[in-house]
Amino acid sequence: MEWNWIEFFAVVFGLIPIYLNVREIVWGWPTSIIGSILLGLIAYQAQLYASVGLNVVYVIMGFYGWYQWLYGGKNQSKLQVTRTGTSLLFLLIVLGIIGTAGIGYFFQRTTDADIPYWDAFGTAFSLVGTYMLAKKKHENWLLWIVVDAIFVGIYFTKELYLLALLYFLYLGLATYGYYQWRQSLAIAHD
């Protein structure tokens, strides 16, 4: 198996869904499923086992997000962008911290994982971010900026330069998404 081509297509199927999600186009979810499968293969090869698990969950969340965006609104209508309440945001951050500690500890103790706690941080907070994205919470983009910056460092360290570039591009898309969804919030509240 030629990992360069898998990495290339993982980048392609990594950018397409983020762009579509920023534009609030539901087809971002099925394309993200393909990208997650490819990224999971690469993470396995790089011994980033928390990221493997993350991509398995991304496949499942891809179907969840797809459904939510189509039918998760009032009376099973299209879901609209909303803000994350303070108590929910606090809960999600706490869950991310607990997830980081638990996942990192598990992979440090039971595998030959490289950089288990950084990998765990990216994994735990990616799960939080994906949940927020599926629920169209505006603040998900701020979380993605942090997570993407962490993954740039991880993939650069692992010499997966195309993936490092992908996550660098995600930083820009997350910033764009934040401002784009802020406009959606303004329109919804007019």
Side-chain angles (χ1 to χ4, degrees):
M1 190 175 284
E2 182 64 44
W3 290 104
N4 308 19
W5 286 104
I6 293 175
E7 188 176 357
F8 172 79
F9 283 110
V11 168
V12 170
F13 280 96
L15 288 173
I16 291 170
I18 301 302
Y19 175 78
L20 293 174
N21 286 341
V22 165
R23 305 290 300 163
E24 297 184 63
I25 298 171
V26 74
W27 290 105
W29 290 102
T31 56
S32 74
I33 293 167
I34 296 167
S36 296
I37 292 168
L38 296 173
L39 285 170
L41 291 171
I42 294 166
Y44 179 78
Q45 180 70 14
Q47 297 174 298
L48 297 170
Y49 303 124
S51 290
V52 172
L54 172 63
N55 281 287
V56 169
V57 173
Y58 275 167
V59 170
I60 296 164
M61 289 296 292
F63 288 103
Y64 175 75
W66 195 357
Y67 178 84
Q68 283 297 308
W69 278 33
L70 288 173
Y71 307 109
K74 291 183 181 175
N75 300 319
Q76 293 192 320
S77 64
K78 181 180 170 189
L79 193 61
Q80 300 298 317
V81 176
T82 58
R83 293 202 181 277
T84 308
T86 305
S87 59
L88 176 59
L89 188 59
F90 178 76
L91 174 65
L92 292 172
I93 290 170
V94 168
L95 289 173
I97 292 168
I98 292 168
T100 298
I103 294 166
Y105 180 81
F106 174 79
F107 284 111
Q108 180 183 35
R109 294 293 211 172
T110 63
T111 71
D112 60 346
D114 196 15
I115 56 175
Y117 284 96
W118 283 111
D119 191 19
F121 177 88
T123 298
F125 280 97
S126 289
L127 293 172
V128 171
T130 301
Y131 172 79
M132 293 173 72
L133 179 65
K135 292 296 198 174
K136 279 196 172 179
K137 298 299 182 185
H138 178 241
E139 297 79 5
N140 88 86
W141 297 113
L142 296 174
L143 180 59
W144 283 118
I145 290 170
V146 173
V147 169
D148 294 340
I150 296 296
F151 275 124
V152 166
I154 288 172
Y155 288 128
F156 190 81
T157 300
K158 297 299 290 179
E159 298 179 3
L160 295 167
Y161 300 118
L162 279 176
L163 289 181
L165 175 62
L166 173 65
Y167 278 83
F168 181 76
L169 294 173
Y170 282 172
L171 286 168
L173 285 170
T175 303
Y176 176 61
Y178 178 80
Y179 289 106
Q180 186 72 25
W181 282 29
R182 187 167 71 178
Q183 289 177 347
S184 292
L185 270 174
I187 291 169
H189 294 293
D190 282 345

